[in-house]
Amino acid sequence: MLSGKKILLGVTGGIAAYKTTYLVRLLIKAGAEVRVVLSPAARDFVTPLSLATLSKNPVYWEYFDRESETGTWNNHVELGLWADLMILAPLTANTMAKIAQGQSDNFLMAVYLSAKCPVYFAPAMDLDMYKHPATRENIQKLESFGHILIPAEKGELASGLEGEGRMAEPETIVGAVISDLESKAPLRNKLIVINAGPTYEAIDPVRFIGNRSSGKMGMALAEAAANYGARVQLILGPSSQDSNNPAINIKRVESTQEMFEATTAAAQNADWIILSAAVSDYRPKNPANQKIKKSDGGMLHLDLVENPDILKSIGQAKKDYQLVVGFALETENAEANAQKKLDTKNCDWIVLNQADDKARGFGHDTNEVLMISRKGQREKLELKPKKELAYEILDRLIKHHTA
């Protein structure tokens, strides 16, 4: 659940701050990208250098470098909006009170107030401070903001007393965040099959018929679906795309026949089937066993035969509970051709995109699409990076399919 997540870690000035080095390591190991923001007092307990080395990102604690004459400043708004989630650990009684009152007297507080993402907080203080009515009231106030409490634990405290107030251990914090994300994941418990990339049809051992598909859109959909809690089976044609997300199982294929067999087999038990691959419609009838030599006549004749229609086959076999989404890449009469594909192949949605010089289609990092459903819904998604577009496509499917 943390793979690919952008996490802000806010560290305040308590002795438990030393544990944040291990917390950063755990978050990085889980696949997250971590940026650390310190309160001014936190630097007395843990060094920025340690956290920067572990996170592989700069550590922030002030608006600008006072020793620099360049005028460079740290943009608290940009940093707050960057994050997918924020963890405040350890959160002292002092900073908790500032949050409850909406104060902004340091860089960490400004970043917090700028963040629009979910916030998790792990208090750390002495037991009497933790039990004080003002602290209990502030915890309730933070929870009323929608923030998620990771309760303090019992144990030996810095004061020498024994009791409740210790910051939750880093493993507990990571586990609490993952459990919360899993409980809210819109595609949890779903198996989603996605195919992506081109297919190559052999002419001879060194030549093939193919297309310019990169597989970027399909991979973006796979990553987004996994981050939404799904288990993903990705059938991937010849492509440089890859993923280390443990929720994504990649099966690599080359020809349309191989993709047909792998996709139809995987689709039998799938909840959603998203067919974004740019498959070859035809293949050479008799591919040569050896490299074809150039002839004196300057002509090469190839007999082509039709490949299996993966979308049509999946559409005809789909079960009542399954959602089937096809992709259509068109260069002319785009909407009419996409509608025809939707009508004839028994899928629930067609995602139409066009190949042209407008930074969309094959090979680009951006795309814009029109989603059309069998029920007549139309969703126009404007030009944006494919990684962002993937979430928007899934959001529309979730909205309409789970309503």
Side-chain angles (χ1 to χ4, degrees):
M1 291 302 298
L2 295 181
S3 180
K5 286 283 191 295
K6 300 173 182 176
I7 299 179
L8 273 178
L9 175 61
V11 182
T12 66
I15 186 62
Y18 81 90
K19 295 182 180 180
T20 57
T21 55
Y22 187 45
L23 178 56
V24 169
R25 287 188 63 192
L26 289 177
L27 293 171
I28 295 291
K29 188 176 181 179
E33 181 180 355
V34 181
R35 296 185 182 181
V36 181
V37 184
L38 304 175
S39 72
R43 291 190 299 145
D44 294 330
F45 297 94
V46 63
T47 68
L49 179 59
S50 297
L51 293 169
T53 301
L54 292 168
S55 68
K56 298 180 176 60
N57 277 311
V59 172
Y60 308 89
W61 66 88
E62 57 187 354
Y63 290 96
F64 60 91
D65 184 352
R66 300 178 187 278
E67 297 180 1
S68 173
E69 298 180 356
T70 64
T72 302
W73 67 291
N74 298 318
N75 189 325
H76 59 284
V77 174
E78 186 177 281
L79 195 57
L81 296 179
W82 169 83
D84 294 318
L85 61 94
M86 186 174 192
I87 301 172
L88 298 169
L91 181 60
T92 61
N94 182 52
T95 301
M96 187 188 301
K98 291 180 183 180
I99 291 174
Q101 296 301 316
Q103 295 184 27
S104 182
D105 64 349
N106 61 51
F107 186 70
L108 172 58
M109 291 305 305
V111 171
Y112 160 77
L113 289 172
S114 300
K116 293 184 178 180
C117 59
V119 176
Y120 302 82
F121 64 103
M125 59 199 74
D126 207 70
L127 76 164
D128 293 320
M129 297 173 68
Y130 193 59
K131 292 180 178 179
H132 195 280
T135 301
R136 308 314 298 178
E137 184 176 328
N138 287 337
I139 288 175
Q140 292 176 4
K141 187 73 173 290
L142 267 62
E143 289 184 308
S144 75
F145 295 161
H147 301 343
I148 297 94
L149 168 67
I150 303 174
E153 299 175 350
K154 293 181 179 179
E156 184 179 354
L157 305 171
S159 64
L161 299 175
E162 186 90 13
E164 195 174 26
R166 288 170 58 100
M167 184 185 84
E169 292 300 315
E171 296 92 341
T172 302
I173 293 172
V174 172
V177 173
I178 290 174
S179 294
D180 182 68
L181 292 175
E182 286 178 341
S183 70
K184 296 173 181 175
L187 295 178
R188 64 187 180 279
N189 300 323
K190 287 195 180 296
L191 172 61
I192 297 182
V193 171
I194 300 173
N195 68 13
T199 57
Y200 290 172
E201 307 298 334
I203 297 172
D204 62 23
V206 297
R207 300 180 180 91
F208 60 85
I209 296 173
N211 58 59
R212 301 179 189 276
S213 174
S214 64
K216 291 178 180 178
M217 189 72 249
M219 181 59 75
L221 285 164
E223 293 281 0
N227 287 334
Y228 273 176
R231 292 176 294 117
V232 179
Q233 175 65 65
L234 177 62
I235 315 299
L236 186 60
S239 169
S240 62
Q241 299 298 301
D242 203 357
S243 173
N244 58 7
N245 191 315
I248 301 174
N249 181 48
I250 300 177
K251 180 175 179 60
R252 295 185 180 272
V253 297
E254 181 164 296
S255 69
T256 298
Q257 182 64 37
E258 291 173 342
M259 184 168 282
F260 172 78
E261 292 171 1
T263 305
T264 52
Q268 292 181 20
N269 298 314
D271 296 293
W272 289 12
I273 304 126
I274 301 176
L275 305 178
S276 65
V279 298
S280 300
D281 293 328
Y282 296 90
R283 69 182 185 274
K285 183 177 181 180
N286 297 303
N289 294 325
Q290 302 295 329
K291 179 182 175 182
I292 299 172
K293 298 297 184 181
K294 185 185 297 185
S295 65
D296 294 336
M299 296 286 290
L300 175 64
H301 178 82
L302 291 177
D303 289 323
L304 302 179
V305 294
E306 194 170 5
N307 269 323
D309 190 322
I310 300 176
L311 179 57
K312 185 175 182 179
S313 177
I314 295 289
Q316 289 176 341
K318 84 181 186 74
K319 303 175 180 70
D320 290 341
Y321 68 86
Q322 291 182 316
L323 178 73
V324 176
V325 181
F327 272 62
L329 179 73
E330 303 292 343
T331 58
E332 60 180 355
N333 301 322
E335 292 191 31
N337 287 332
Q339 186 66 53
K340 181 179 179 181
K341 192 172 187 178
L342 178 68
D343 294 338
T344 59
K345 302 198 178 180
N346 197 37
C347 52
D348 299 288
W349 288 82
I350 282 291
V351 181
L352 168 64
N353 61 126
Q354 300 178 63
D356 53 26
D357 58 355
K358 297 180 180 178
R360 58 188 184 182
F362 285 166
H364 293 292
D365 292 325
T366 55
N367 204 1
E368 63 179 357
V369 301
L370 174 65
M371 299 176 63
I372 308 170
S373 82
R374 289 185 65 82
K375 296 180 180 180
Q377 295 119 330
R378 298 169 73 86
E379 297 277 359
K380 176 71 173 178
L381 306 183
E382 301 298 331
L383 186 71
K384 56 181 58 66
K386 289 179 178 177
K387 290 182 178 180
E388 295 178 19
L389 187 65
Y391 285 98
E392 292 201 14
I393 291 171
L394 294 181
D395 287 343
R396 300 310 194 278
L397 295 176
I398 290 165
K399 179 180 75 171
H400 292 295
H401 194 59
T402 60

